[in-house]
Each structure stands twice: as C-alpha cells, then as structure tokens.
Amino acid sequence: MRPSDIRKVCVLGAGTMGAGIAQRAAQSGYQVTLRDIEDRFVQGGLDNIRKTLEEGVRRKKVTQEQSETILGAIHGTTDMAEAVEGAQLVIEAIFEDMDIKRQVFEELDKLCPPETILVSNTSSLSVTEMAKITSRGPNFAGLHYFYPAAINRLLEVIAGDETSEDTMDLLMDLGRIMGKVPIRCKDSPGFIVNRYFVPYLNEACRLVDEKVANIPEVEAAACEAFGIGMGPFALMNATGIPIAYHSQCSLHDALGEAYAPSPLLKAQFEKEEKWDLEGDVDPAAKEVASKRLLGVEFAVASQLIEEGVCTTEDADLGATIGLRWANGPFVMMNQIGTKEARYLVGAWIQTLPETARFPMPRPLEELAAGDANWSVSTVVTETEGPVAILRVSRPAALNALNTDVLEDLGEALEAVEADPSLRVAIITGEGNAFVAGADIKEMVTKTPLEARAFTQLGHRVFRRIEEMDTIVIAAINGYALGGGMEMALACDIILASEKARVGLPEVGLGIHPGFGGTQRLPRLVGRWKAKELILTAQQLSAKEAKAIGLLNEVYPSDMLMEKAKAMAHRIAGMGPVAIKLAKHAVNRGVEIDLDTALNYEVESVSLCFASEDRVEGLQAFIDRRKPEFKGR
Ligand code: CAA
C-alpha cells in the first residue's frame, strides 16, 4: 500500500489521545471516523476537537473555513462496523489495558479485510503481543503519539516482530504527511523516549532521596546540562507524578533492578502532592547532580543501541523534538567525548545497588577505547533499489545548514556516488521544512575569514551535486530559503509540495546569498528576475516559483514523495551511461557558447556509443524487449 492509497482513517477511542489523533488525520486531508462505545464519549471527543480548533482560529493557526472543513471530515459513531467500513488504516487509541485491547483487535480482525493496516497507539504495551491477537502480523504495528497528539510533533513508529518493512515505511511516510517527525523503533520496553526520559526523572528523585542534592540543585543541573527551561521536578508537577511513577514501574518490571523506582518517587506518588521547588542552590551539589543525570542518560541511550532498538539519529530526534532538549544523548556524548561519557556511565552504575548493576554497554565501551565518536548524521540516507533518499534531519532548527549538516551532506553524497547500484538520489527535509537556509545562529559570530571558509564548504558540497554522475532530485517539502533554495538550485530536477515556500531572504539579514544564489539563479530565471528576487528578499509560493521556471512541478503535499520516487525510479530505469552523460552535457552546455557546447555534445554522444548500454538499448528496441542495462 502507498500513502496515497490511504483515504479513510478510523480512530477507535474518543478520549484525549484518540480525539487528537483524529483531528490531526482530518487536518491532513483524510476522511476520519471516530468511534467510541457510548455516544457521550464520541460527543465528548468531537467537542474537544471543536474547542481545540476554536482556539486555533482565535490564535490564527487555522482559518474558520479550515476549521469547518476539518470538523466536517470527522464522523463520530458508536458502530464498529460502520467505523471501519472502507478504512485503509485503523488506529486503536483506547486504554492501556491488554484485555480491552484484545477484545477490540479480535473484533477488528474479523471486520477488516486482510490488507487493512491495524495500529495500536500505546506507550507501554508490547506490539508483538497485540499483533498475535490478529491474523495480520505484517500489517500490524504500533504508534506512540505524544501528548497533545494533534500538536506534539514526535511520533514513535514501532515494529512488532512480524511487522513488514512496507508497513513501517508506510507509517513513517504517513507520519510525515500528518506533520510529524516519525522515529522508528523495535518493540521494546519504553520504546525510545520513555526508556531514557523516565529514568532521568527517577534519577532526579534518587539524587534528592540520597541527599546528594536538593530539588532546586537538581532542577538547575538538569536545565543547564540538557539546555531546557523546565527541570524534572517542575515537569512532573506539570504532567503528573503518577505517570512518572507508573512508567518507571513498567520499566522496572520489564528491565529489572537497575530501573527500580526511587523510594522518594513512590512516596510522593502515594502522598498525592506536588514537589516543592523552593530552596538554595549549592554549585558543588549541582555539579554532582549534573554528572549523575548525564550518567543515567548516556547509560540507557547506549543500551538502546546495544539492543538494536533504534538508531542514534532517531534517539536524538526523540530528545530534540519530543522533549525539546538542546541536543540528544548521542550528540551530547560526542560533545563531551565518549571517554568522559563512559566514565559518567561507569560512575552512575556504581551508584546502583550491587545486584542491580549491569556491564558497560558494549558500543560505548568500544568507542571510548578507540577515543571515537558515535556516528550521528544530520543527513539520513534510505535506499529503495536504485534510488537513495537523503533526508536533511535537523527539524528543530528547520534543517538549517550548519557546518555539521554541510559536512554530513557531503559525506552522504559521496557514499551515494560510490555505490554503483544507486542511480538517482532525492534530497528532502525532515519535518515541515526542506531547509530554512544557512544556520543564522552559527553565522552570527563568524569572522569574515570563517564566513569565507563556510561559504566555500557550501560551494564544494553543492558543486558535488552538479558534478556527480548520480541524478539528484530536490523534493521541496516546505521552506526552502537562502541556502536551502541554493541547494535545490544545484539539483538536476526540482519538485515541490504545494506548501513549499522558496526565496533568498539574505539581504534582510544584512548579508547576501552565498551558496551560489547570486550565480545560479540568474542563469535560471534571467538577471532581472533574479535581482528582483534577491534584492526584495521576496518569498514565492510553489506555484509562483513554477510560473517563473524556478522548479519543475508542484504536487499536493501528500503526493510529493510518491511522485519524486516515481520519477526517480523512471530515470533509474533508463540507460545509466546515457543519463549521466546527458546530465553533464546539459550542465556544461548552458555555461559555454553554442558551438563549443555542440562539440561537447558530439564527444559525449561518441562516448555514449562506446558503452555496452547503447548496444543493449538499441538492440532491445529492435527485439521488442525491455533493455537490461549494465551501466557500462
Ligand atoms: N538558522 C538557524 N535556526 C533557524 C533558521 C536558520 N536559518 N530558521 C529557523 N530556525 C530555527 C528557529 O530559530 C527556531 O528555533 P527555536 O525553536 O530554538 O527558537 C526553529 O528553527 C523554528 O523556527 P521558527 O520558530 O522561526 O518557525 P516559523 O514557522 O515561525 O518560521 C521561517 C519559519 C519563516 C522559515 C523562519 O524560521 C525564518 O525566517 N527563518 C530564517 C530564514 C532565513 O532567513 N534563511 C536564510 C539564512 S541565511 C543563508 O541561507 C545564507 C546563505 O546564502 C548561505
């Protein structure tokens, strides 16, 4: 099933989570049924959605018209058969109770055709176990929406033991279409974020319980170490101590004594009181608390990698998008050095009762021994046969290009080029943006010499896009501003979603485009139009950009990646030698006079005729068969 095959989504359970999920799905253009067992629950869910949308209209996040369209797309019902009728995706969002979920999935399994994807929204139950209730392991998966589901951008997509890769890919794509930043994980206690976040809350309580630090010292330590505005105790006061306690108990049950809840957390839960945040801060105690909090964080994050639950990139996205930490645990470990991280983990393990201690996670041990860093790329590559998808993934900063991103992109392009099986690459952005430009926060302190080196780095990477044999398609999924638009201008084909906005806003910042914008744009749209766009810093919608020849095609946002992939696969099916020579012939030809360019074409075609591919391609036409190109 492709994302565009999904037209109707059924959400079971009209509580806070279910209503939020239904709203998000309707907001993303799907027909939605929201089902609960009693009409008053259904109406309650619909009322909540209505109120959220009214608030959205008041805060100008949605228009009145959009709000009405969203509400009109959601149909409430108590009838299960009616709810699932015609739905390609069913999301169960009822209580976290295995027995109730069992009844629901048994019923769903009978009612839904085998191809319907069944999903449980869960923060703690085993997806593999739930899948076994049904007869559709490959088409069954877990989703973990974070509160509030309509707004929080993080989404964990959980593979049960039998979930197929196709189902996982589909749910990741759907998550993105619904405006989420999806992270992929194996079915494992606490999945990704709760696995390291809940023990961090618990550790805060242990520190106070053991009189290592008081509450304000732990708060200050956490805010400083993790770059956050609210420490663990303030957060528990806001979100509820019971949820922290119960979540830690679940981890304890599943993972053993190292995860035992702090007696202080248990006592506070039983007292039903909030934490008192008042008190003085002793810098020395704060320092010790900081090391302990980092120690537990690094220990658990390293375990996730050792157990193969997720990638370092997804674990870090969980922290930066879901928890709004300045950095995820792996980037933090790299920043302080893996040797120091290993020391902090070792010291934290020693604070556990002897019977609860566990060995140093092996991946961290090995990295620290070699004084090496975790591999955490800001450009994530997936492959689909001969097509590579390069996703710039720094969504908390709208994928802004800092030195790391440019270097990671350079390495990702190099890896694609070095792999002869890959013929086409698609560059896109994680989250709502393609790339919102060069990183303004990094640039603000740059000296002219540093700016020069940064600009040259950008030039080198974007030039590689033009000069590599692989065909590169830009799939602009949102903002492509400044360096983001300049990156797209270096690609061979530019596709965009209706939501895309492109422009070169640099002069408004007192600088001018520096990643090729002053040079490639005039070559594309002519010097007068280019100057108009650069000097006025005007942003264009995707349709306006297409009208002036700035991009090839515009698609509805839920179709962009499907269309980009279809085009990539079509190109990948052509003669490999021919497509790369054609790319270079066009790129060279537009830079030089026509006679020289035509001579270039002569040489290029001659080279093409020297390839086995042209023998195969021409002969296949005569034989009326599909050619089998070898790329030589
Ligand atoms: N650099 C660094 N951080 C950026 C960024 C950039 N270019 N663009 C966005 N961000 C960050 C924001 O600071 C914000 O971070 P915090 O949450 O930590 O505050 C986060 O991304 C989300 O951004 P906004 O809250 O601003 O999101 P919005 O939806 O309200 O606005 C936007 C979106 C209109 C794109 C706005 O972010 C914006 O104007 N960004 C700057 C665009 C720009 O001027 N780009 C050109 C950069 S210069 C350049 O590219 C030079 C060159 O040629 C090489």
Side-chain angles (χ1 to χ4, degrees):
M1 204 184 293
R2 289 169 309 179
S4 60
D5 294 327
I6 308 249
R7 291 171 305 282
K8 179 177 163 183
V9 177
C10 167
V11 181
L12 303 177
T16 323
M17 279 321 250
I21 296 168
Q23 181 190 327
R24 192 70 238 171
Q27 221 155 336
S28 311
Y30 297 101
Q31 283 302 311
V32 178
T33 43
L34 180 61
R35 188 261 179 188
D36 213 314
I37 45 175
E38 288 184 35
D39 194 50
R40 63 192 171 105
F41 298 142
V42 175
Q43 292 313 321
L46 292 173
D47 280 350
N48 279 340
I49 297 173
R50 199 170 292 115
K51 278 187 207 137
T52 314
L53 287 170
E54 276 166 11
E55 178 62 15
V57 172
R58 205 181 56 73
R59 294 175 55 205
K60 298 195 171 23
K61 298 277 179 198
V62 278
T63 63
Q64 184 62 35
E65 196 187 345
Q66 285 168 329
S67 157
E68 281 160 22
T69 310
I70 294 164
L71 275 171
I74 307 173
H75 170 66
T77 179
T78 52
D79 185 330
M80 182 73 111
E82 182 197 344
V84 300
E85 171 73 39
Q88 293 78 29
L89 172 68
V90 179
I91 304 176
E92 165 279 307
I94 56 172
F95 312 108
E96 290 282 73
D97 179 321
M98 198 53 134
D99 288 335
I100 304 181
K101 293 207 189 232
R102 177 178 303 282
Q103 287 168 25
V104 169
F105 282 121
E106 276 170 0
E107 193 177 356
L108 285 176
D109 203 30
K110 287 188 200 116
L111 283 172
C112 301
E115 64 277 11
T116 308
I117 310 277
L118 298 188
V119 162
S120 172
N121 175 59
T122 178
S123 61
S124 58
L125 297 179
S126 162
V127 173
T128 304
E129 213 179 300
M130 282 187 271
K132 282 188 189 140
I133 302 166
T134 72
S135 56
R136 60 188 79 209
N139 285 354
F140 192 104
L143 291 177
H144 179 200
Y145 283 85
F146 288 73
Y147 179 81
I151 296 168
N152 193 313
R153 294 177 59 216
L154 189 68
L155 178 68
E156 288 179 335
V157 181
I158 305 135
D161 287 356
E162 288 183 33
T163 309
S164 71
E165 277 303 300
D166 285 352
T167 299
M168 287 298 286
D169 290 344
L170 177 78
L171 292 172
M172 293 288 288
D173 284 345
L174 275 178
R176 292 191 176 104
I177 289 169
M178 293 195 197
K180 302 285 178 189
V181 174
I183 55 177
R184 191 186 283 248
C185 65
K186 251 179 36 183
D187 190 14
S188 164
F191 308 130
I192 301 177
V193 174
N194 281 355
R195 173 75 178 267
Y196 59 67
F197 179 59
V198 178
Y200 147 92
L201 300 177
N202 192 53
E203 189 64 15
C205 300
R206 287 185 71 222
L207 283 162
V208 175
D209 204 20
E210 292 166 17
K211 303 203 172 9
V212 174
N214 63 21
I215 290 183
E217 285 158 356
V218 176
E219 288 291 284
C223 290
E224 219 169 84
F226 297 92
I228 44 179
M230 200 189 248
F233 291 101
L235 195 81
M236 282 188 267
N237 280 351
T239 55
I241 294 170
I243 185 161
Y245 175 65
H246 290 308
S247 305
Q248 186 69 26
C249 290
S250 303
L251 292 178
H252 181 206
D253 291 345
L255 299 164
E257 285 311 303
Y259 290 80
S262 145
L264 180 65
L265 176 59
K266 182 168 188 281
Q268 197 73 9
F269 158 69
E270 285 166 354
K271 271 201 289 186
E272 296 183 19
E273 278 177 22
K274 291 195 173 187
W275 300 107
D276 176 2
L277 306 178
E278 296 304 311
D280 295 329
V281 175
D282 168 13
K286 188 184 84 176
E287 180 70 21
V288 180
S290 169
K291 289 187 168 159
R292 285 266 298 261
L293 291 173
L294 291 172
V296 66
E297 206 47 45
F298 296 164
V300 177
S302 304
Q303 281 186 321
L304 284 173
I305 302 306
E306 186 171 36
E307 294 165 19
V309 175
C310 62
T311 61
T312 55
E313 287 86 1
D314 279 352
D316 274 5
L317 279 180
T320 54
I321 299 297
L323 306 176
R324 301 292 287 160
W325 288 0
N327 289 300
F330 293 98
V331 163
M332 287 169 80
M333 281 193 260
N334 287 348
Q335 282 172 347
I336 68 167
T338 46
K339 270 200 161 93
E340 174 68 6
R342 178 184 57 180
Y343 168 75
L344 293 177
V345 171
W348 176 74
I349 292 174
Q350 288 305 310
T351 69
L352 297 171
E354 210 161 324
T355 49
R357 291 181 194 158
F358 55 87
M360 178 68 57
R362 216 167 7 93
L364 178 59
E365 181 71 67
E366 285 168 9
L367 288 173
D371 211 2
N373 275 351
W374 291 98
S375 157
V376 194
S377 182
T378 53
V379 178
V380 177
T381 305
E382 292 162 25
T383 54
E384 236 188 56
V387 176
I389 298 146
L390 275 54
R391 212 178 288 279
V392 182
S393 182
R394 212 187 152 217
L398 303 187
N399 304 323
L401 302 170
N402 60 14
T403 306
D404 284 347
V405 178
L406 286 170
E407 284 174 351
D408 289 346
L409 180 62
E411 280 172 25
L413 291 167
E414 196 179 334
V416 166
E417 211 180 358
D419 183 340
S421 71
L422 296 172
R423 307 233 190 275
V424 184
I426 300 170
I427 301 183
T428 190
E430 186 61 270
N432 298 332
F434 178 68
V435 165
D439 189 316
I440 298 170
K441 291 170 193 165
E442 190 184 90
M443 284 192 302
V444 78
T445 54
K446 279 197 193 306
T447 63
L449 264 183
E450 286 165 344
R452 185 186 166 84
F454 183 60
T455 305
Q456 284 173 328
L457 171 63
H459 280 187
R460 264 198 313 280
V461 175
F462 293 179
R463 197 71 177 128
R464 161 164 253 156
I465 295 175
E466 286 172 325
E467 289 184 341
M468 65 201 280
D469 289 343
T470 320
I471 309 301
V472 184
I473 299 174
I476 301 182
N477 54 311
Y479 286 112
L481 301 177
M485 174 169 157
E486 292 169 301
M487 182 164 87
L489 289 177
C491 295
D492 299 305
I493 288 168
I494 309 180
L495 307 178
S497 95
E498 283 167 350
K499 285 190 190 155
R501 301 216 37 103
V502 302
L504 294 173
E506 285 91 336
V507 292
L509 300 167
I511 55 176
H512 74 66
F515 287 166
T518 61
Q519 304 309 311
R520 289 192 181 93
L521 187 62
R523 283 166 165 76
L524 191 63
V525 296
R527 82 166 95 150
W528 290 277
K529 194 71 204 170
K531 277 190 274 189
E532 180 191 330
L533 291 174
I534 292 168
L535 301 180
T536 63
Q538 187 192 353
Q539 281 184 28
L540 302 178
S541 69
K543 284 202 176 119
E544 289 166 337
K546 179 166 186 255
I548 61 163
L550 205 52
L551 46 87
N552 295 72
E553 201 49 78
V554 183
Y555 298 107
S557 52
D558 59 340
M559 294 297 294
L560 173 66
M561 282 313 286
E562 235 171 273
K563 291 288 185 185
K565 286 181 195 176
M567 183 183 274
H569 281 284
R570 182 177 165 85
I571 294 171
M574 304 294 161
V577 175
I579 57 172
K580 78 176 179 199
L581 289 175
K583 164 176 173 164
H584 295 313
V586 174
N587 281 353
R588 288 277 173 275
V590 291
E591 303 300 337
I592 50 184
D593 69 275
L594 187 60
D595 282 333
T596 317
L598 288 172
N599 281 336
Y600 185 98
E601 188 181 69
V602 169
E603 300 310 324
S604 184
V605 168
S606 312
L607 207 56
C608 206
F609 266 72
S611 70
E612 287 176 29
D613 280 356
R614 78 88 198 186
V615 178
E616 169 64 10
L618 298 179
Q619 194 57 50
F621 176 83
I622 290 162
D623 298 347
R624 295 186 180 279
R625 62 177 169 81
K626 211 169 164 288
E628 281 180 30
F629 294 118
K630 298 274 189 311
R632 42 177 202 260

